[in-house]
Amino acid sequence: MKLIGVDIGGTFTDLILADVAQQQTWIHKVPTTVEDPSIGMIQGIQTLCEMAEADYGDIEHVLHGTTIATNTLLTHDGARTGMITTEGYRDIVHIGRHQRPQHYSIMQDIPWQARPLVKRRDRKVVPERLDPRGEVLTPLDEDAARTAIQELKEAGVESVAICFLNSYFDSRHEDRVAELAQELFPEAFITTSASIFPQFREFERFTTTCINAFVGPKVKRYIQNLSRSLKEQSVRGELHIMRSNGGVATAEVAGEQPVTLLLSGLAAGVLGGAAAGERSQRDRLITFDMGGTSTDIGIVTERGFAEATARDTWIAGYPVMVPMIDVHTIGAGGGSIAYVDEGGAFRVGPRSAGAEPGPVCYDKGGTEVTVTDANVVLNRLDPDHFLGGEMAIYPDKAFAAVQALVDRVGLDLYETAAGILTIVNNNMANAIRSRTIQKGQDPRQFALVAQGGAGPLHAAEVARSLGIPEVIVPRYPGITSAMGLLTTDLKHDLIQNEFTLSTDPHLDKLNADLQALEDQVIEQLRADGFSADQMTLQRFADCRYVGQGYELRAIVPNGELDEAALQSVWQQFHDLHTAEYGHSFPENPVELVTLRVTGTGPMPKLAGLPVPAEGQVEDAWLKTAVTYFRVDGQLEKYSTNFFERDRLPIGGEIEGPAVIFQKDSTILLPPHSHTTVEANGNLLIRLAAASATDPSMAMAAAV
């Protein structure tokens, strides 16, 4: 069985082909074809098949992570969208909530007002009203609905979002308007809020539905074109798309619910990091994915990966109410630009040179010094081994760029380059603190998983500044997201709002609603081709104390619920509240707000990874050269050994300082570090504690 994972980023498209039976893998990177990302993907698949001497017909599954939905939202380049909503609620998506992004600023940017997904003239209202329990207060005016649909059609909208006030409890009115829209406006992309995520909180639900409608036509066309191109290449394997919840969906489902793809590639990166940690028998992980423009941080614990809460999930400034892995992104990458601001402060990022023109050392027109240029000056990147020797870099250009910054910074050449790395490393360390320490987690109890093209180059120094004792470098860190695609399953999430109290839980209704959700999930999985014995169902409850505005998710036991089972749910909630906030109120009544059922269908997965079983570390040695490191507050020259990772044998050990090259990344071992090649393919780096006099530690502590 052969599987292909493809993650399309803004700069590169990463691909991996795995022969599960033979436990062989082939990797490849190609530039992303911005005008049509599917072009580069097809070209990459062709090259991979040539490398593996495989026929297209041998590929049984193509799993894909994409940024097309995210980029469409970020660039505000979606379809002209219309909206049909309950009379009196036309401006919900404009008003938002009482809380403003910046409470006290009179100059702030409010995305849903400055860049509306649906312009006011394209928001139509119809008389209808259900109460929060589904009782009809005002019947749906079908004539008004037909008029609204016709007006949107004549206005030239491409997509229609149907959002009624209490449809999260009963979707009959939304469903009927969707039927009318299909009859009167069949060429439009139709979305109902109840079909996306039937949750209370109308501002977030309406906005999420509008996002789905806004990005839908472009995403659906892309998926259809990609599916057609794969068939033209005689690839018979079914296409599955990565979703933000950590599972994949069929191309058809993904095309109808593109809002669930907003963190597609980022979610795959967390899964890839989690799989690498599992191979090293570590279950508390910080995934650290540093690319050319940004760094993505995810948290994995014994409970699995962290999921973003409904009220805290924002993409491009808009609230998104769909299940998502909690990934925190900052503007720090190899292309981040170093500069002196108007106040004289030395800064790095978030502005980036990107792929074009890129760092100065690429010699593609870049003129501003970047993190990559600083690494070249400190001799941590080598012109003969960059991207496996397939891409040229020019050290003299990097030296000239850093030298131009020297006078403004007031340091010498090497101190300036080291300062760039100190700043960007501390920016990334602070981002990790915000996801660990500020949420009650001690980063010293985690291992850091180094991912991305630049992650392994910075991970050890970032980990040391946080007191993290271990760094795991996966076998192919530069394509961890593509690898993560081959570790996941197909997944569906369905929810039902309850609002029942622990003092009067209505057991009969809870059991009936759980059974209804399970039946729907089973039906969806059966439609995806899974048999009953292949399916796995998990049940959850979002709970809060009465009067709270935020929920915590507890696991609901399988089987019919009784008082004892519910008691375990309430106790879980109290324990979670203590872990999250440092206290709980066991005597207070708990409100069960939402039931959720997650259904999983197993997908074929990546097995072992190739690692040389025999040989000596000396066989992988390339050269010895001078590299610069800051230790105990002093920047010093160190005689550094350079190695080729593909020739490092199982059990091989290397003492830092050292640099290890591989095609998709470069790994840095600073002084006082040690790495071992594990049988699973990972490099496990262990770090000695940093000195308290190290300025990077002092800066990190101060910040």
Side-chain angles (χ1 to χ4, degrees):
M1 177 179 290
K2 292 183 174 62
L3 314 173
I4 284 184
V6 184
D7 177 59
I8 298 181
T11 305
F12 286 104
T13 295
D14 301 331
L15 305 99
I16 180 170
L17 188 154
D19 187 325
V20 176
Q22 301 297 323
Q23 293 194 2
Q24 291 182 292
T25 56
W26 295 263
I27 67 169
H28 190 47
K29 294 173 79 79
V30 297
T32 295
T33 49
V34 179
E35 67 281 3
D36 182 356
S38 66
I39 295 174
M41 176 174 171
I42 295 298
Q43 292 172 347
I45 290 175
Q46 291 172 341
T47 303
L48 267 184
C49 288
E50 291 172 4
M51 293 167 61
E53 298 181 353
D55 294 327
Y56 297 130
D58 294 338
I59 301 169
E60 297 194 26
H61 291 279
V62 178
L63 299 105
H64 176 30
T66 176
T67 57
I68 189 165
T70 311
N71 290 342
T72 300
L73 187 60
L74 289 172
T75 60
H76 205 73
D77 187 29
R80 180 176 175 180
T81 301
M83 178 180 177
I84 299 174
T85 190
T86 305
E87 191 173 48
Y89 291 86
R90 180 183 187 185
D91 294 320
I92 283 288
V93 293
H94 176 87
I95 297 170
R97 290 192 169 272
H98 172 69
Q99 301 100 321
R100 294 159 66 85
Q102 300 170 19
H103 286 295
Y104 306 108
S105 172
I106 62 173
M107 301 294 291
Q108 65 183 296
D109 174 59
I110 302 176
W112 56 86
Q113 295 179 359
R115 296 175 296 282
L117 298 165
V118 184
K119 294 181 179 179
R120 195 170 194 271
R121 61 177 173 268
D122 292 329
R123 301 198 295 263
K124 308 296 181 180
V125 299
V126 299
E128 74 83 35
R129 188 68 177 268
L130 302 173
D131 73 7
R133 292 296 175 185
E135 296 296 326
V136 177
L137 301 178
T138 302
L140 173 66
D141 188 334
E142 293 195 8
D143 290 336
R146 290 187 178 93
T147 299
I149 294 165
Q150 193 62 39
E151 289 176 351
L152 292 174
K153 182 177 181 179
E154 292 173 358
V157 304
E158 189 179 354
S159 188
V160 178
I162 303 169
C163 307
F164 290 155
L165 184 62
N166 290 321
S167 63
Y168 66 88
F169 197 86
D170 188 324
S171 65
R172 75 183 87 165
H173 286 176
E174 280 192 358
D175 294 341
R176 179 55 185 153
V177 174
E179 291 175 0
L180 295 173
Q182 293 290 356
E183 295 172 8
L184 301 172
F185 196 4
E187 63 271 29
F189 184 92
I190 308 297
T191 300
T192 67
S193 72
S195 69
I196 298 300
F197 211 59
Q199 176 70 281
F200 72 108
R201 297 180 174 127
E202 56 272 10
F203 168 57
E204 289 85 356
R205 173 164 50 92
F206 285 13
T207 302
T208 300
T209 308
C210 290
I211 291 173
N212 195 76
F214 184 73
V215 305
K218 179 176 285 190
V219 173
K220 190 170 185 177
R221 284 193 296 269
Y222 167 75
I223 292 175
Q224 289 173 340
N225 290 340
L226 178 57
S227 297
R228 184 169 54 252
S229 297
L230 290 170
K231 289 180 180 177
E232 290 173 355
Q233 295 295 324
S234 301
V235 176
R236 66 180 178 87
E238 188 174 1
L239 175 65
H240 286 83
I241 312 294
M242 187 72 191
R243 305 172 93 177
S244 305
N245 66 355
V248 295
T250 62
E252 181 180 1
V253 171
E256 294 299 327
Q257 299 181 345
V259 70
T260 64
L261 310 182
L262 287 173
L263 294 186
S264 178
L266 303 188
V270 175
L271 293 179
E278 184 178 356
R279 286 192 288 270
S280 291
Q281 299 181 326
R282 304 307 195 267
D283 56 10
R284 295 178 64 80
L285 307 164
I286 300 168
T287 62
F288 173 74
D289 192 341
M290 183 180 179
T293 302
S294 63
T295 296
D296 307 314
I297 296 160
I299 304 297
V300 181
T301 67
E302 303 90 338
R303 293 173 57 89
F305 51 76
E307 184 172 298
T309 59
R311 290 287 298 275
D312 292 332
T313 306
W314 303 79
I315 305 292
Y318 302 94
V320 182
M321 188 181 282
V322 294
M324 289 187 173
I325 291 179
D326 189 7
V327 183
H328 181 55
T329 300
I330 66 166
S336 293
I337 293 170
Y339 63 100
V340 177
D341 67 14
E342 294 178 353
F346 190 9
R347 298 186 180 276
V348 180
R351 195 161 56 92
S352 174
E356 294 290 342
V360 178
C361 64
Y362 288 5
D363 197 25
K364 293 183 177 180
T367 58
E368 297 179 282
V369 63
T370 67
V371 171
T372 297
D373 297 310
N375 276 308
V376 170
V377 168
L378 298 177
N379 200 27
R380 300 177 179 191
L381 291 173
D382 188 273
D384 296 327
H385 298 89
F386 192 75
L387 203 62
E390 296 179 4
M391 180 174 176
I393 58 173
Y394 301 89
D396 58 322
K397 303 286 185 182
F399 275 85
V402 175
Q403 184 63 51
L405 194 63
V406 163
D407 291 339
R408 300 199 64 190
V409 174
L411 302 171
D412 67 24
L413 175 72
Y414 294 103
E415 286 283 359
T416 300
I420 292 171
L421 300 189
T422 297
I423 293 170
V424 76
N425 287 343
N426 278 282
N427 289 343
M428 295 183 290
N430 285 332
I432 292 174
R433 285 187 184 88
S434 73
R435 315 314 287 177
T436 53
I437 295 172
Q438 293 180 21
K439 291 181 176 290
Q441 300 276 9
D442 185 347
R444 295 172 297 182
Q445 297 176 358
F446 289 74
L448 190 71
V449 184
Q451 305 170 200
L457 193 58
H458 292 258
E461 293 181 330
V462 170
R464 177 169 283 163
S465 72
L466 292 163
I468 297 173
E470 295 179 333
V471 174
I472 297 170
V473 185
R475 180 67 183 87
Y476 302 118
I479 61 163
T480 304
S481 291
M483 292 181 64
L485 293 166
L486 305 187
T487 68
T488 189
D489 294 307
L490 188 142
K491 183 186 292 187
H492 292 291
D493 291 289
L494 291 180
I495 69 166
Q496 171 69 47
N497 290 279
E498 290 295 326
F499 301 106
T500 191
L501 297 179
S502 58
T503 53
D504 185 18
H506 300 289
L507 275 171
D508 290 342
K509 184 177 185 304
L510 285 175
N511 281 310
D513 289 344
L514 276 171
Q515 187 61 55
L517 288 174
E518 290 182 351
D519 291 344
Q520 292 177 57
V521 169
I522 289 170
E523 182 179 350
Q524 290 187 355
L525 290 173
R526 188 176 290 117
D528 292 330
F530 296 98
S531 60
D533 62 330
Q534 293 177 302
M535 303 175 189
T536 301
L537 302 184
Q538 293 178 290
R539 312 194 300 182
F540 304 93
D542 293 335
C543 303
R544 64 187 181 188
Y545 290 118
V546 175
Q548 282 187 318
Y550 295 85
E551 297 82 46
L552 295 173
R553 182 163 300 124
I555 298 172
V556 176
N558 292 327
E560 185 169 349
L561 295 181
D562 55 18
E563 291 290 348
L566 272 184
Q567 189 59 43
S568 74
V569 174
W570 311 139
Q571 187 58 53
Q572 274 188 73
F573 169 73
H574 295 311
D575 294 342
L576 288 168
H577 201 280
T578 299
E580 185 76 14
Y581 301 112
H583 60 270
S584 61
F585 307 97
E587 303 303 319
N588 286 22
V590 178
E591 184 177 27
L592 193 160
V593 177
T594 305
L595 290 175
R596 179 192 295 196
V597 172
T598 298
T600 302
M603 297 290 293
K605 293 181 176 58
L606 180 68
L609 295 170
V611 184
E614 299 178 355
Q616 302 295 323
V617 170
E618 291 75 15
D619 298 336
W621 180 84
L622 295 170
K623 66 178 181 179
T624 299
V626 170
T627 303
Y628 290 79
F629 292 93
R630 190 187 301 281
V631 177
D632 292 336
Q634 299 297 319
L635 185 67
E636 301 286 352
K637 297 179 182 179
Y638 282 84
S639 179
T640 302
N641 288 311
F642 290 68
F643 297 90
E644 183 179 354
R645 181 172 185 178
D646 290 343
R647 297 168 63 190
L648 289 174
I650 293 174
E653 299 185 5
I654 298 174
E655 295 287 339
V659 177
I660 303 172
F661 298 124
Q662 62 183 98
K663 179 177 180 179
D664 55 306
S665 189
T666 299
I667 304 151
L668 181 73
L669 299 181
H672 312 302
S673 66
H674 172 93
T675 191
T676 303
V677 183
E678 298 188 305
N680 55 50
N682 292 339
L683 293 183
L684 182 62
I685 302 174
R686 292 186 170 89
L687 302 164
S691 168
T693 60
D694 191 323
S696 66
M697 285 290 288
M699 182 185 297
V703 176

